[in-house]
Amino acid sequence: MSVKMAEELSTEVPSDDFQALEQKVYRTIEQYKAARDARSVAERDVQRLREQLEEREEEVETLRREMVQLRREREEIRGRVEKMLKQIETIAEEQAAS
C-alpha cells in the first residue's frame, strides 16, 4: 500500500469512528472471555451433577436391593408367625375339647 493510499484512508476514517470500533472490539473480547469463563463453569457444574447423578443411581439400586431383601424377610417371618398361630390355635382347641 502506498503512502498516498494510507493517507487517504486515514483521512477517510475519522478518529472517533476508529475509537468507537476499537471499543467495540474490546467489548467483544471481554464478552468472549466472559462467555468462555461461563462455559468452563457450566462444564464443571455438568461434571459435578453427572457424578452426583451416578452416586444417586447407585444409592437407588442399593436401596432397591435392600427393599427386595426386606420384603423377602417379611414374607418369611409372616409365614413363621402364621405357623406359630396355627399351632397355638390347635393347642387351644385341644384344651377346649378336653
Side-chain angles (χ1 to χ4, degrees), residues 23-79:
Q23 290 301 315
K24 286 182 181 181
V25 169
Y26 283 128
R27 278 196 306 269
T28 302
I29 290 169
E30 291 303 316
Q31 288 174 346
Y32 172 76
K33 287 179 182 178
R36 186 178 59 197
D37 292 344
R39 180 179 177 180
S40 294
V41 168
E43 287 173 349
R44 281 194 304 268
D45 288 348
V46 165
Q47 182 61 33
R48 181 178 49 82
L49 290 171
R50 283 183 178 150
E51 290 170 0
Q52 288 178 351
L53 178 62
E54 188 175 309
E55 289 173 6
R56 296 303 176 269
E57 287 174 345
E58 290 172 3
E59 289 176 12
V60 166
E61 186 57 35
T62 299
L63 291 172
R64 192 173 283 135
R65 283 193 297 267
E66 285 180 25
M67 184 180 68
V68 168
Q69 179 64 28
L70 289 171
R71 284 181 177 168
R72 212 177 289 136
E73 289 175 6
R74 181 182 70 187
E75 290 304 314
E76 180 185 328
I77 290 171
R78 178 181 285 157

